[in-house]
Amino acid sequence: TRKRVNDMKFLAVTACPSGVAHTYMSAEAIQQACKKAGIECKVETQGSIGIENAITAEDIATADAVILTTDMPIKNAGRFDNLKKVKITTGQAIKQADAIVAKMVGMLK
């Protein structure tokens, strides 16, 4: 099924070993890239203070794809088994978020 970009919804989970700067910088970069592309996006952060903005079962049911960072294991990653995924480092998310979002749109079209 072909989807229009404006009908797409992406999820992302970001985490880094220290659980501080890169977790939030990559979350922000992904959110900004999705916003620029006109795509709804929800980003869960798994940082030093735990899980914030937790992705719900309802979010997963309505999502088209998920971005997972690979700097450290994502907690409960199995919940995304039925979604298309892109695995990247937080560094890639920070530096190349626009290109990654574009790649995901291409995967879904």
Side-chain angles (χ1 to χ4, degrees):
T1 58
R2 295 171 87 61
K3 284 196 110 164
R4 293 193 0 254
V5 171
N6 292 2
D7 295 334
M8 291 180 186
K9 179 179 177 184
F10 292 169
L11 302 174
V13 183
T14 63
C16 70
S18 65
V20 191
H22 285 89
T23 299
Y24 298 103
M25 288 165 59
S26 57
E28 179 70 17
I30 292 165
Q31 285 171 322
Q32 291 300 325
C34 285
K35 190 174 181 179
K36 270 195 265 184
I39 296 166
E40 186 183 341
C41 179
K42 180 172 181 177
V43 182
E44 173 180 297
T45 54
Q46 297 185 359
S48 54
I49 54 175
I51 293 176
E52 292 179 282
N53 200 32
I55 289 171
T56 65
E58 186 181 337
D59 293 326
I60 294 167
T62 58
D64 296 295
V66 63
I67 300 169
L68 301 173
T69 59
T70 57
D71 303 44
M72 59 182 293
I74 295 294
K75 294 178 183 80
N76 309 319
R79 61 195 156 143
F80 303 115
D81 285 350
N82 295 330
L83 287 178
K84 288 186 188 271
K85 3 182 139 35
V86 173
K87 294 185 177 185
I88 55 169
T89 65
T90 54
Q92 287 171 308
I94 294 164
K95 294 185 185 89
Q96 304 164 357
D98 291 338
I100 290 158
V101 168
K103 176 183 170 187
M104 290 176 69
V105 168
M107 276 179 8
L108 295 168
K109 279 196 161 179

